Amino acid sequence: DIVMTQSPDSLAVSLGERATINCKASQSVLDSSNNKNYLSWLQQKPGQPPKLLIYWASTRESGVPDRFSGAGSGTDFTLTVSNLQAEDVAVYYCQQHYNTPPTFGGGTKVEI
Amino acid sequence: EVQLVQSGAEVKKPGTAVKISCKVSGHSFSDHYMHWVQQAPGKGLEWVGFVDPEDGETTYAEKFQGRVTITADTSTNTLYMELSSLRSEDTAIYFCATIDFDHWGQGTLVTVS
């Protein structure tokens, strides 16, 4: 199984500032045949199901604000939340679906 | 609009089984795999397994192998997950999700006590 390791476990960011979350895969999730990284980022607010924010490591899901951005390739990825808003308080998960089983990082809690 | 509506909370005794459902609308149910994901209280997300609704083929996480059965009824566009030999560690919210995890059900809390 591919192990997804996120850091930090939690972080506190001031309103309007930037939050950066790291995710490292135990093996590459890049498919060289199509040059796509099978890496997604999800946001989960308290009492709600997860919500897909970014797929293919850097493509925003429809309706996701452009202050959310994803970067990285292979084994190392980053989610950046710029200009943090109060509604961005949540737990963020990275997830790989390069192979089965799909696996999730442990989550990063973002607070104000 | 894609909607996944799950069945209500369940309370079960240890050693028994539970079967929960997820009704899908606005989505080509037969064309794509559907997942179940577990979230224990205060914990992260763990994949349980998926089913291909078209032919019923399933793949399960090793942790749940032998105790979980995922099925799909294409006549009602409903996904099911049955978990047997329940133990306290199975207490969790279970989510259904579409193939790319782009749509999720609201979650079903299963309490084993």
Side-chain angles (χ1 to χ4, degrees):
Chain A
D1 298 3
I2 297 178
V3 177
M4 308 299 291
T5 303
Q6 285 184 235
S7 62
D9 292 335
S10 64
L11 73 162
V13 179
S14 300
L15 288 172
E17 296 299 307
R18 176 184 300 175
T20 301
I21 300 169
N22 301 298
C23 175
K24 188 174 185 67
S26 61
Q27 66 186 74
S28 176
V29 298
L30 172 64
D31 188 337
S32 56
S33 68
N34 59 12
N35 204 37
K36 288 188 183 298
N37 287 282
Y38 284 67
L39 188 285
S40 300
W41 289 97
L42 302 105
Q43 174 195 62
Q44 188 177 30
K45 297 181 180 180
Q48 295 185 20
K51 173 188 174 184
L52 180 65
L53 294 179
I54 287 173
Y55 58 94
W56 300 142
S58 60
T59 302
R60 271 187 302 276
E61 178 74 337
S62 175
V64 173
D66 61 6
R67 63 178 182 274
F68 292 91
S69 61
S73 184
T75 61
D76 293 283
F77 301 90
T78 301
L79 174 70
T80 301
V81 186
S82 303
N83 185 23
L84 193 86
Q85 303 296 299
E87 61 264 31
D88 301 332
V89 168
V91 178
Y92 294 84
Y93 296 93
C94 61
Q95 181 239 337
Q96 69 79 23
H97 54 110
Y98 178 76
N99 62 19
T100 300
T103 48
F104 299 87
T108 296
K109 186 175 185 178
V110 174
E111 300 172 302
I112 302 294
Chain B
E1 180 192 4
V2 178
Q3 286 195 315
L4 284 65
V5 179
Q6 299 185 223
S7 51
E10 302 267 8
V11 179
K12 293 293 182 180
K13 298 286 188 190
T16 63
V18 67
K19 188 172 185 177
I20 61 178
S21 66
C22 169
K23 185 165 177 62
V24 181
S25 59
H27 174 72
S28 50
F29 183 72
S30 296
D31 292 346
H32 304 292
Y33 290 6
M34 293 288 299
H35 302 276
W36 285 99
V37 175
Q38 179 196 59
Q39 187 168 41
K43 302 297 185 183
L45 304 168
E46 186 162 12
W47 180 75
V48 175
F50 63 57
V51 64
D52 180 347
E54 186 172 35
D55 61 11
E57 183 179 348
T58 54
T59 301
Y60 302 127
E62 193 171 331
K63 172 182 174 179
F64 299 98
Q65 191 81 35
R67 291 201 303 132
V68 68
T69 304
I70 297 175
T71 56
D73 182 342
T74 55
S75 69
T76 60
N77 284 4
T78 303
L79 178 71
Y80 297 93
M81 184 194 77
E82 183 170 21
L83 190 60
S84 62
S85 302
L86 290 168
R87 38 212 190 213
S88 59
E89 310 90 89
D90 296 321
T91 294
I93 297 173
Y94 293 84
F95 295 100
C96 56
T98 49
I99 181 172
D100 293 323
F101 299 97
D102 49 343
H103 295 96
W104 293 68
Q106 83 275 20
T108 296
L109 174 62
V110 174
T111 303
V112 183
S113 176

